[in-house]
Amino acid sequence: EAGVAQSPRYKIIEKRQSVAFWCNPISGHATLYWYQQILGQGPKLLIQFQNNGVVDDSQLPKDRFSAERLKGVDSTLKIQPAKLEDSAVYLCASSFSGQETQYFGPGTRLLVL
Amino acid sequence: ILNVEQSPQSLHVQEGDSTNFTCSFPSSNFYALHWYRWETAKSPEALFVMTLNGDEKKKGRISATLNTKEGYSYLYIKGSQPEDSATYLCALYTSGTYKYIFGTGTRLKVLA
């Protein structure tokens, strides 16, 4: 079965610019997660979707980050405007349900200059 | 704030050595514990899901144990190989809030 797809794999932008990441989860997985992993830290959950509804976005900086999951399948994560501290790996993961094993995409490595 | 701690942060071992890492978590918040392996430029890969106190899981040369009463899990690698070089992450799935809390990972480098 196809895994979780993410694009782009790498992105370099200047501060105050905007950027968007795309994720296509494993077919049939209802739960989708976006994580931010800053160098030297563990992945931090930004937002969790169940189908196209938000389950948890308590750690999403809503003044600059937004995410959507249209039709309960693909998802996009946007940062607008980006700050230097947003430099990180952004991981997308999906699971059949909230407590099942998560399957991760390869991540998008973002560098904000 | 719940904290999941992993130790050591990094280590280098020689090919053929056996090694182990620790994942510590607050036992009162335990629901399940996941172990992942994350090789550079690849997707994190699920290794084990552990739910019961005393659980032992094995996959090839890698095994894991779980102690929910004292709040820790050990990951063992027997006869390390260069291809085992990766970051090993544990993630606690918490009871009550049903959230995943990741540790900071253990970065393993196996020298040929």
Side-chain angles (χ1 to χ4, degrees), chain B residues 2-65:
Chain B
L2 291 178
N3 211 23
V4 175
E5 297 185 354
Q6 291 189 247
S7 63
Q9 279 193 332
S10 65
L11 75 162
H12 291 67
V13 301
Q14 291 292 326
E15 183 176 356
D17 287 351
S18 294
T19 187
N20 64 85
F21 331 128
T22 305
C23 174
S24 302
F25 52 86
S27 57
S28 58
N29 300 100
F30 178 85
Y31 188 93
L33 189 85
H34 295 247
W35 280 101
Y36 293 88
R37 173 171 60 198
W38 192 3
E39 295 179 66
T40 303
K42 294 186 178 180
S43 307
E45 171 198 359
L47 289 174
F48 306 114
V49 181
M50 310 181 80
T51 56
L52 298 176
N53 185 44
D55 249 356
E56 291 187 26
K57 296 282 179 85
K58 187 173 181 181
K59 185 177 182 179
R61 294 179 291 98
I62 304 176
S63 59
T65 61

Side-chain angles (χ1 to χ4, degrees), chain B residues 69-83:
Chain B
K69 294 183 179 179
E70 296 185 29
Y72 66 83
S73 176
Y74 292 142
L75 188 81
Y76 301 91
I77 302 179
K78 184 178 178 182
S80 303
Q81 299 296 308
E83 58 264 31

